[in-house]
Amino acid sequence: MKQTVLVVEDNPRNLRLFKFILEHLGYRVLTAGDGQDGVERARRELPDLILMDIQMPRLNGEAALKILKKDELTREIPVIVLTAHAMKGDRERLLAAGFADYISKPIEHAEFIACIRAALPAAT
Amino acid sequence: MLEERVEQRTKELVAPRMTAEAANHAKSDFLANMSHELRTPLNSVIGFAEVIGKGMAGPVTSEQKEFLGDIEGSGRHLLELINDILDLSKIEAGKTELERSRFQLRELLEDSLSMFREKAMRHGIELHTELPADLGGYEGDKRRLRQVLFNLLGNALKFTPDHGRVGIRAVREPATIRITVWDTCIGIAAKEQHKLFQPFQQLEQSLTKQSPGTGLGLPLSRKIIEMHGGEIHVESSSGKGSAFTFSLPLTHKGAR
């Protein structure tokens, strides 16, 4: 069965790019346009992996991560942060906040794929 | 009375500084936001050019592939510009501190040069080193100094015609280490030389055979060397190549 990745991203063009690449890799892709939708979708569908933007309306990525990590249902799902916050210190700060990995935008195609695969070891 | 006047005068002196600090703070917030806002659309520009170019969205002709490569290349160039502008602005705002550690300069110089070996070979450019064995240790920001060497060596390789020479030389004096990156480019006229360290003052771009740089490499390098308490200057004349020399004082204790 296909593994499921939930992409939480408010920029529709970037969302479409990530969806395209992930589907090309053979994953089932779910999307959400902000942190609030992302949390609800994650609870409902229990994806294998979540890719999470930071700066989003309604609920930002860090706040969404906190909710997911408090909830027994979603606590174990790895959440990779996918952000254009790429100043010095951002990576360390976000990894310390509990994200499983950090990818900066613009993405490096090969690095992006490697990160996804590393977070989904059961992928075949 | 006197006390009042002192207090008044102090306020007058302190107020402009506070305003300057607030302005610097606002500036760096603005830059952080700008970085984020520019990177976000660049993600889909570069990303889609890449996936289409890889044929992931269907077959592409070789000409289309080349054009897509141009979109991707320009996107990456913009990204480099953003990174350099931010770097320079942060240093100018006094927001950057050196991360000092003790390391062997000789290793750093050799490592940096070896990164350009392949490019030099492609253009038939000879690489020279004159590094004394007893160059010794130095305490400074290794990552930043590597950035300086990359800028200088990158420029040297870029502006030197095929089959020319590029070299790196280091001299240890009692209180200073001097490092020179030289090349056999066509030279930089005296009246142009002062422009080199000003942002966005690239000299005639027609001289370069490759993609232009950001125009910020040398201004950034100068700031980094100054933070180490040193100086950087260029010597060049038409037809005689150019030599960029920077000094690293051995006793400097981190001003700024």
Side-chain angles (χ1 to χ4, degrees), chain B residues 170-202:
Chain B
V171 179
R172 192 181 182 107
E173 293 167 8
T176 310
I177 293 174
R178 272 180 220 290
I179 293 163
T180 301
V181 173
W182 58 267
D183 61 47
T184 58
C185 71
I186 62 164
I188 306 152
K191 65 173 170 41
E192 298 275 279
Q193 287 175 14
H194 72 281
K195 285 193 201 165
L196 287 172
F197 296 99
Q198 304 295 322
F200 299 118
Q201 292 285 335
Q202 279 180 315

Side-chain angles (χ1 to χ4, degrees), chain B residues 84-95:
Chain B
D84 280 1
I85 292 171
L86 282 172
D87 231 8
L88 194 61
S89 306
K90 272 192 288 181
I91 291 178
E92 276 178 347
K95 283 244 163 193

Side-chain angles (χ1 to χ4, degrees), chain B residues 6 38 60 70 72 83 107 111 129 153 157 161 166-167 170-171 186:
Chain B
V6 169
L38 291 169
V60 281
D70 289 340
E72 194 192 326
N83 292 339
E107 274 173 34
D111 281 359
T129 50
L153 287 165
L157 263 295
V166 167
V171 179
I186 62 164

Side-chain angles (χ1 to χ4, degrees), chain B residues 75-174:
Chain B
R76 291 199 190 280
H77 183 214
L78 270 176
L79 184 61
E80 245 176 80
L81 262 171
I82 295 163
N83 292 339
D84 280 1
I85 292 171
L86 282 172
D87 231 8
L88 194 61
S89 306
K90 272 192 288 181
I91 291 178
E92 276 178 347
K95 283 244 163 193
T96 300
E97 283 186 20
L98 296 180
E99 286 168 30
R100 290 174 181 277
S101 64
R102 196 162 180 83
F103 60 91
Q104 293 298 314
L105 256 179
R106 197 192 153 96
E107 274 173 34
L108 177 68
L109 297 172
E110 282 173 346
D111 281 359
S112 304
L113 193 70
S114 70
M115 299 298 287
F116 291 92
R117 233 171 260 292
E118 198 197 305
K119 189 172 183 187
M121 218 142 79
R122 270 205 312 274
H123 293 281
I125 292 172
E126 260 179 58
L127 296 180
H128 293 252
T129 50
E130 285 168 70
L131 307 175
D134 59 347
L135 198 51
Y138 175 74
E139 197 180 314
D141 191 324
K142 193 173 176 183
R143 189 179 67 85
R144 289 285 182 184
L145 291 173
R146 189 191 301 273
Q147 202 179 351
V148 172
L149 289 162
F150 264 56
N151 282 329
L152 296 179
L153 287 165
N155 282 346
L157 263 295
K158 193 195 287 190
F159 291 103
T160 297
D162 287 5
H163 311 294
R165 282 174 296 141
V166 167
I168 192 163
R169 181 166 65 230
V171 179
R172 192 181 182 107
E173 293 167 8

Side-chain angles (χ1 to χ4, degrees), chain B residues 212-226:
Chain B
T214 60
L216 292 168
L218 287 174
L220 204 53
S221 298
R222 180 168 76 174
K223 292 280 178 195
I224 293 168
I225 295 304
E226 284 172 357

